[in-house]
């Protein structure tokens, strides 16, 4: 699949080329709200895309573990969301989101440009691995792509920040409803794999839950309009190119 | 309509729908308790977690749900509804939300019951977990306390939305097609609360002055009583509800990786066959051990299949019991008496015996407290009678607290195991200490006269012992 191309095609057109489902969400937040807003969206998606651990028995049957959930209150947004009770998964998402830091707007640019400040987007992609014969490497075939576009705004005073807390909270509620709507369309999901194939469909590295294989990547556009594509080490590892 | 459905599939489907309905009610009510919910993931199937989700069962809620269902299942024209409403401390109530579990006639004959329907119901429950946190009532429920509480009511039959006021909004949580109809889960919620921030509920009494048009008489007499969305684990009280173990069957699901059973949708944008995923042909796609009684949790259904379903313990009895009409929230060491349903309109009386953690077995304090663990601590809301208080600061325990006497001090994490009152009340009491008696005019005047009378005597004594006094002064220098 390779790395995400930088700016020429939008996420939906790329996904269409890859024949996978693509959804785009857009949020405008203050700088300190970025992390919580991203975690809220990513956790909500992964709540729906995680199962309990599979335990395979003889004759190809398997049983499924139990997924626990917990409420998370945001500190900088009037918002709460539900995530899977898995510290490993939470750590992985926090690590990914922690590296996603859209730059704050420079004061002179804020005065010049009336609209956007810093921008960036974070992508959560679910994929399957397809084993290839030597010397070809495994292929990663995406089947669902979530793109969250983030506009970072600068606020002047505490009153604006308070309003922003509430407004962003309301917007995130709408995003959660959007996500749930997509999830309940019951569109394509990978087949349940056999034991030998389970690692091609699910991430079995976590000890308590089993999300579908996913990767997170992000783009940051600074105020000059240049884009810097940064990918996680996992993305590079998973999408070996000759 | 369901002639193509085998009897086993029909039985399984009915069971799925029944337990889905029960779990739906649990998720909704627990989301309105006012507390953060946390359940643990378990890598090994426990056999008691329906839909592979850790959703606790509050026995009272299950009891109410089963009472409402009365052995029926949601069907066309027969919906299961959970009504969430707000009730102020003055007794006014307002409907906030109606959650509806409905069935329509649109059938999906091709869908596999024991695999696809089950997994989609699991997904729908996850969606419900997410959606219950984004409607306006969630934030209100997190801030419930002495000014208002959140109540729930379960009813079965026709959906009643008129209590939500004009312009209510609906959000669809999701749908699951089955061979007998399509299950739809949705929520209709009042939106005119949006004009009031939740802060107004906290700090601006009286509430009637803000939303007077919302407190109207209930258009339909309640066929089922309202219940508070407050729950305390581990309480001993008069109301005992059958634990879930009595009536809930063990859910143990085992799936196979047979290709025909895995197609979750007929609209595939991507053909998974290219992956080479495929298992041996299975004649019977799913081995399902659910729906059996607790005595044989690991027995399998299916022609000639033996699965490796591990022995599953029967559903652990949940030790939690909820007081049906209690409005108090969790606090260790506090025991509550069950109020009768008929007193639900009045403020409940709670007997606070400090035998548990206070270490003072003789303390008896009858008071009405509505408290929350954590940041949402509220002050008592009604009269208090005290008897035999040996605990520190007992004399400062509130005697007559008016409903309108809002205490702006809401300290976090305070517990009244030892103190009969909260820190805010104590602080307020000490803010206005009584005046020193020596500074009062009457006493001052009286002592002045006495001083003048005794002055000559004192002077005589001083003159007599002047040398002693001088020597004493020299030692100080």
């Amino acid at each position: 699949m390779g790395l995400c191309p930088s700016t020429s095609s939008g996420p939906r057109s790329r996904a269409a080329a890859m024949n996978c489902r693509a959804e785009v969400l857009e949020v405008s937040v203050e700088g300190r709200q970025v992390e919580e807003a991203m975690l809220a969206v990513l956790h909500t998606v992964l709540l729906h895309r995680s199962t309990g651990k599979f335990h395979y028995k003889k004759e190809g049957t398997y049983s499924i573990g139990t997924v626990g959930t917990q409420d998370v209150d945001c500190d900088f947004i009037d918002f709460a969301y539900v995530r899977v009770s898995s510290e490993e998964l939470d750590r992985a998402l926090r690590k990914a989101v922690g590296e996603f830091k859209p730059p704050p707007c420079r004061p002179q640019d804020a005065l010049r440009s009336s609209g956007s400040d810093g921008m960036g987007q974070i992508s959560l992609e679910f994929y399957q691995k397809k084993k290839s014969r030597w010397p070809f490497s495994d292929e990663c075939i995406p089947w669902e792509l979530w793109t969250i576009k983030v506009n970072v705004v600068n606020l002047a005073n505490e009153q604006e920040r308070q309003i922003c807390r509430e407004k962003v909270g309301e917007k995130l509620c709408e995003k959660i409803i959007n996500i749930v709507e997509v999830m309940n369309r019951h569109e394509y999901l990978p087949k349940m794999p056999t034991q030998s194939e389970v690692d091609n469909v699910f991430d079995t590295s976590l000890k308590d839950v089993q999300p579908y294989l996913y990767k997170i990547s992000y783009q940051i556009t600074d105020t000059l309009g240049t884009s810097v594509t940064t990918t996680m080490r996992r993305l590079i590892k998973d999408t070996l190119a000759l | 309509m369901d002639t193509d459905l085998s009897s086993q599939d029909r039985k399984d489907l009915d069971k799925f729908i029944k337990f889905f309905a029960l779990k739906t009610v649990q998720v909704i009510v627990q989301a309105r308790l006012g507390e953060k919910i946390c359940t643990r993931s378990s890598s090994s199937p426990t056999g008691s977690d329906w839909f592979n989700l850790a959703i606790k069962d509050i026995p009272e809620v299950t009891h109410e749900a089963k009472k409402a269902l009365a052995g029926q299942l949601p069907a066309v024209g027969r919906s299961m509804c959970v009504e969430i409403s707000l009730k102020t401390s003055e007794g006014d109530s307002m409907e906030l939300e109606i959650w509806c579990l409905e069935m329509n006639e649109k059938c999906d004959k091709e869908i596999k019951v024991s695999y696809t329907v089950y997994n989609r119901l699991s997904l729908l429950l996850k969606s419900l977990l997410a959606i219950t946190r984004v409607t306006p009532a969630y934030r209100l429920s997190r801030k419930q306390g002495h000014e208002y509480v959140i109540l729930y009511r379960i009813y079965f039959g026709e959906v009643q939305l008129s209590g939500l006021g004009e312009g209510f909004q609906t959000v669809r949580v999701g749908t699951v097609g089955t061979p007998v109809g399509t299950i739809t889960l949705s929520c209709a919620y009042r939106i005119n609360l949006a004009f009031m921030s939740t802060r107004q509920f906290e700090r601006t009494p009286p509430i009637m002055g803000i939303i007077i048009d919302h407190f109207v008489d209930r258009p339909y007499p309640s066929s089922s009583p309202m219940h508070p969305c407050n729950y305390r684990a581990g309480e001993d009280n008069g109301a005992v509800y059958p634990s879930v173990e009595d009536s809930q069957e063990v859910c143990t699901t085992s799936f196979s990786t047979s290709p025909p059973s895995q197609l979750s949708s007929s609209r595939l944008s991507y053909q998974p066959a290219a992956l080479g995923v495929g298992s041996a042909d299975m004649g019977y796609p799913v081995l399902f051990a659910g729906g059996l009684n607790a005595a044989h949790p690991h027995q399998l259904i299916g022609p000639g299949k033996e699965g490796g379903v591990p022995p599953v313990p029967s559903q652990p009895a949940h030790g939690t019991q909820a007081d049906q009409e209690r409005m108090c929230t969790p606090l260790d060491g506090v025991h509550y008496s069950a109020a009768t349903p008929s007193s639900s309109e009045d403020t409940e009386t709670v007997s606070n015996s400090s035998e548990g953690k206070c270490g003072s077995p003789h303390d008896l304090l009858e008071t009405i407290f509505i408290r929350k663990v954590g940041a949402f601590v509220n002050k008592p809301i009604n009269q208090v009678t005290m008897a035999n208080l040996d605990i520190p600061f007992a004399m400062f325990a509130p005697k007559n607290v008016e409903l309108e006497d809002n205490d702006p001090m809401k300290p976090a994490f305070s517990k009244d195991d030892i103190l009969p009152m909260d820190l805010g009340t104590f602080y307020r009491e000490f803010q206005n200490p009584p005046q020193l008696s020596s500074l009062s005019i009457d006493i001052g005047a009286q002592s002045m006269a006495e001083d003048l009378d005794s002055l000559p005597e004192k002077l005589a004594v001083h003159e007599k012992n002047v040398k002693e006094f001088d020597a004493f002064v020299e030692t100080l220098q």
Side-chain angles (χ1 to χ4, degrees), chain B residues 121-193:
Chain B
L121 289 174
S122 175
L123 194 73
L124 188 52
L125 274 177
K126 291 174 181 174
S127 298
L128 182 64
L129 282 162
I131 295 289
T132 45
R133 273 66 176 172
V134 304
T135 55
Y138 179 72
R139 289 194 62 207
L140 283 173
S141 68
R142 290 292 300 271
K143 291 176 163 55
Q144 63 182 302
H146 68 278
E147 287 194 10
Y148 65 89
V149 289
I150 304 295
L151 306 177
Y152 75 93
R153 180 171 76 96
I154 307 171
Y155 62 91
F156 192 72
E158 208 174 306
V159 182
Q160 301 159 11
L161 298 177
S162 54
L164 293 175
E166 290 183 2
F168 61 86
Q169 284 193 353
T170 56
V171 58
R172 193 168 78 166
V173 183
T175 61
V176 174
T178 77
V180 300
T182 297
I183 296 168
T184 304
L185 188 53
S186 60
C187 173
Y189 59 93
R190 175 184 287 274
I191 59 164
N192 37 22
L193 274 179

Side-chain angles (χ1 to χ4, degrees), chain B residues 400-452:
Chain B
N400 288 307
V401 179
E402 298 301 324
L403 282 173
E404 292 76 23
D405 188 8
N406 280 325
D407 182 6
M409 305 291 290
K410 294 192 191 319
F413 312 113
S414 90
K415 290 182 186 285
D416 60 352
D417 296 334
I418 297 171
L419 298 176
M421 59 174 201
D422 62 337
L423 184 61
T425 312
F426 170 73
Y427 181 81
R428 193 179 51 187
E429 294 284 338
F430 271 93
Q431 265 190 326
N432 302 308
Q435 196 180 28
L436 290 173
S437 58
S438 57
L439 295 179
S440 67
I441 295 175
D442 292 338
I443 296 174
Q446 193 176 2
S447 64
M448 181 76 84
E450 287 173 358
D451 285 344
L452 285 173

Side-chain angles (χ1 to χ4, degrees), chain B residues 335-349:
Chain B
H335 299 275
Y336 301 95
S337 61
T340 59
S342 59
S343 66
S344 63
E345 294 301 314
D346 306 320
T347 52
E348 287 75 13
T349 304

Side-chain angles (χ1 to χ4, degrees), chain B residues 186-402:
Chain B
S186 60
C187 173
Y189 59 93
R190 175 184 287 274
I191 59 164
N192 37 22
L193 274 179
F195 296 110
M196 297 180 302
S197 71
T198 53
R199 276 167 287 182
Q200 283 179 290
F201 271 104
E202 292 168 359
R203 295 184 197 155
T204 316
I207 291 177
M208 277 297 290
I210 297 171
I211 43 176
I212 48 176
D213 58 322
H214 293 174
F215 294 109
V216 295
D217 290 336
R218 192 174 288 276
Y220 301 98
S222 296
S223 56
S224 55
M226 302 295 300
H227 304 283
C229 288
N230 272 334
Y231 170 65
R232 168 77 198 282
E235 287 298 333
D236 292 329
N237 51 53
V240 177
Y241 298 95
S243 71
V244 184
E245 185 179 16
D246 294 342
S247 50
Q248 181 171 342
E249 288 133 38
V250 172
C251 159
T252 307
T253 53
S254 180
F255 301 96
S256 80
T257 53
S258 168
S261 69
Q262 295 170 20
L263 292 177
S264 59
S265 169
S266 58
R267 295 183 289 119
L268 295 179
S269 60
Y270 174 76
Q271 292 300 324
L275 275 184
V277 173
S279 63
D281 282 337
M282 299 283 181
Y284 191 78
V286 173
L287 299 175
F288 177 66
L292 298 173
N293 59 37
H296 305 281
H298 50 276
Q299 188 175 354
L300 297 177
I301 299 172
K305 296 292 182 190
E306 290 183 6
V309 178
V312 174
S314 57
Q315 173 103 12
H318 288 270
T320 56
Q321 292 173 356
D323 180 351
Q324 182 166 0
E325 297 296 343
R326 180 165 26 89
M327 295 167 71
C328 295
T329 49
L331 263 184
D332 293 333
V334 177
H335 299 275
Y336 301 95
S337 61
T340 59
S342 59
S343 66
S344 63
E345 294 301 314
D346 306 320
T347 52
E348 287 75 13
T349 304
V350 172
S351 170
N352 182 348
S353 160
S354 54
E355 292 162 358
K357 292 203 169 178
C358 299
S360 231
H362 302 294
D363 297 335
L364 286 176
L365 173 62
E366 279 194 353
T367 181
I368 295 169
F369 278 108
I370 295 179
R371 291 195 162 277
K372 282 189 170 297
V373 174
F376 306 104
V377 174
N378 299 284
K379 66 176 184 69
I381 62 162
N382 213 325
Q383 293 201 357
V384 168
T385 57
M386 293 181 293
N388 192 17
L389 299 171
D390 297 333
I391 42 188
F393 305 114
M395 68 184 79
F396 301 113
K399 297 179 178 58
N400 288 307
V401 179
E402 298 301 324

Side-chain angles (χ1 to χ4, degrees), chain A residues 18-21 44 46-73 78-82 84-86 128-131 139 141-143 162 166 172-174 176-181 183-197 200-201 207-209, chain B residues 35-47 49 52-55 115 119-120 123-124 126-135 138-139 142 171-177 189 197 199 253-259 262-265 267-280 282 287 304-310:
Chain A
M18 301 169 189
N19 198 23
C20 83
R21 184 166 60 241
T44 301
L46 275 161
L47 169 67
H48 290 82
R49 292 288 180 248
S50 298
T51 75
K53 296 284 288 182
F54 282 14
H55 297 274
Y56 285 91
K57 314 297 173 189
K58 49 188 176 179
E59 293 187 4
T61 63
Y62 62 96
S63 55
I64 306 178
T66 300
V67 173
T69 57
Q70 58 187 89
D71 283 310
V72 181
D73 288 338
D78 287 347
F79 184 71
Y81 60 93
V82 176
V84 169
S85 288
S86 166
Q128 296 177 97
K129 280 191 206 167
K130 180 184 170 188
K131 296 278 187 208
E139 201 178 344
I141 303 165
W143 54 271
Q162 185 56 43
E166 296 175 11
L172 283 177
C173 289
E174 291 175 18
I176 302 303
I177 294 173
N178 292 345
I179 293 169
V180 162
E181 188 191 1
M183 294 299 180
N184 278 272
R185 287 181 201 154
H186 302 303
E187 291 172 340
Y188 170 75
L189 284 176
K191 274 186 194 175
M192 284 301 132
T194 57
Q195 189 168 10
S196 59
E197 303 280 344
N200 294 339
V201 176
K207 69 176 193 303
D208 44 12
V209 295
Chain B
E35 296 168 355
K36 288 166 68 168
I37 305 295
C38 180
T39 57
R40 290 181 59 189
S41 300
S42 168
S43 62
S44 301
T46 61
D49 293 321
N52 309 117
L53 282 174
I55 298 170
Y115 174 79
N119 284 341
R120 287 185 181 180
L123 194 73
L124 188 52
K126 291 174 181 174
S127 298
L128 182 64
L129 282 162
I131 295 289
T132 45
R133 273 66 176 172
V134 304
T135 55
Y138 179 72
R139 289 194 62 207
R142 290 292 300 271
V171 58
R172 193 168 78 166
V173 183
T175 61
V176 174
Y189 59 93
S197 71
R199 276 167 287 182
T253 53
S254 180
F255 301 96
S256 80
T257 53
S258 168
Q262 295 170 20
L263 292 177
S264 59
S265 169
R267 295 183 289 119
L268 295 179
S269 60
Y270 174 76
Q271 292 300 324
L275 275 184
V277 173
S279 63
M282 299 283 181
L287 299 175
K305 296 292 182 190
E306 290 183 6
V309 178

Side-chain angles (χ1 to χ4, degrees), chain A residues 2 13 52 55 80 113 116 121 164-165 174 180 185 193 197 212 215 231 235:
Chain A
S13 54
H55 297 274
S113 63
S116 59
Q121 67 179 44
C164 190
R165 279 182 69 100
E174 291 175 18
V180 162
R185 287 181 201 154
E197 303 280 344
Y212 282 100
K215 60 183 75 158
T231 53
L235 173 66

